[in-house]
Amino acid sequence: QVQLVESGGGLVQAGGSLRLSCAASGRSFSRNAMGWFRQAPGKEREFVAAINWNGGSTYYTDSVKGRFTISRDNAKNTMYLQMNNLKPEDTAVYYCAASGLRNVGPGTTGYDYWGQGTQVTVSS
């Protein structure tokens, strides 16, 4: 059974940092693009960041550029999202996802597997 499990969320003050992890099991995603998404209350799920299969290409939504860094460790079948200088508007449930493709550009389409999400709350 394929599973993606997010961890690392929590409550942090504005300006603080968190590191999210997405651990995959059931199959290897070392040849697949992966991404992070978020959904705030009352809003649609939105794209945050994506990384191609070998980490050579990364994509970010404009609001997180310069603050968030996506990375992956294929040996551990794990993806990360380092979030710095967090803002209250970053508050959301964060989801990771894996694609059937080696590279997926910015956006919410092209992903086949999704995690259950981890809550990130940034207080002002």
Side-chain angles (χ1 to χ4, degrees):
Q1 181 182 1
V2 175
Q3 279 191 314
L4 299 177
V5 179
E6 303 94 338
S7 62
L11 174 64
V12 64
Q13 289 187 334
S17 299
L18 286 173
R19 188 193 194 204
L20 304 184
S21 298
C22 172
S25 62
R27 59 159 284 184
S28 171
F29 287 101
S30 63
R31 297 184 182 275
N32 301 86
M34 298 184 74
W36 287 98
F37 303 82
R38 66 188 180 186
Q39 187 168 19
K43 296 187 177 181
E44 294 187 352
R45 186 174 300 184
E46 65 171 351
F47 167 79
V48 175
I51 187 166
N52 78 329
W53 70 281
N54 65 356
S57 296
T58 57
Y59 310 90
Y60 298 93
T61 192
D62 286 345
S63 63
V64 308
K65 286 180 180 177
R67 300 188 298 122
F68 291 11
T69 303
I70 189 172
S71 63
R72 65 189 298 162
D73 184 339
N74 285 342
K76 295 182 179 180
N77 216 18
T78 300
M79 177 181 63
Y80 306 96
L81 185 67
Q82 178 67 43
M83 306 186 294
N84 297 329
N85 191 21
L86 283 160
K87 303 177 180 180
E89 51 263 42
D90 294 318
T91 295
V93 177
Y94 283 70
Y95 301 88
C96 68
S99 172
L101 305 174
R102 291 198 177 196
N103 190 44
V104 179
T108 58
T109 59
Y111 292 89
D112 302 306
Y113 302 97
W114 292 83
Q116 293 300 305
T118 185
Q119 176 71 46
V120 171
T121 303
V122 184
S123 63
S124 57

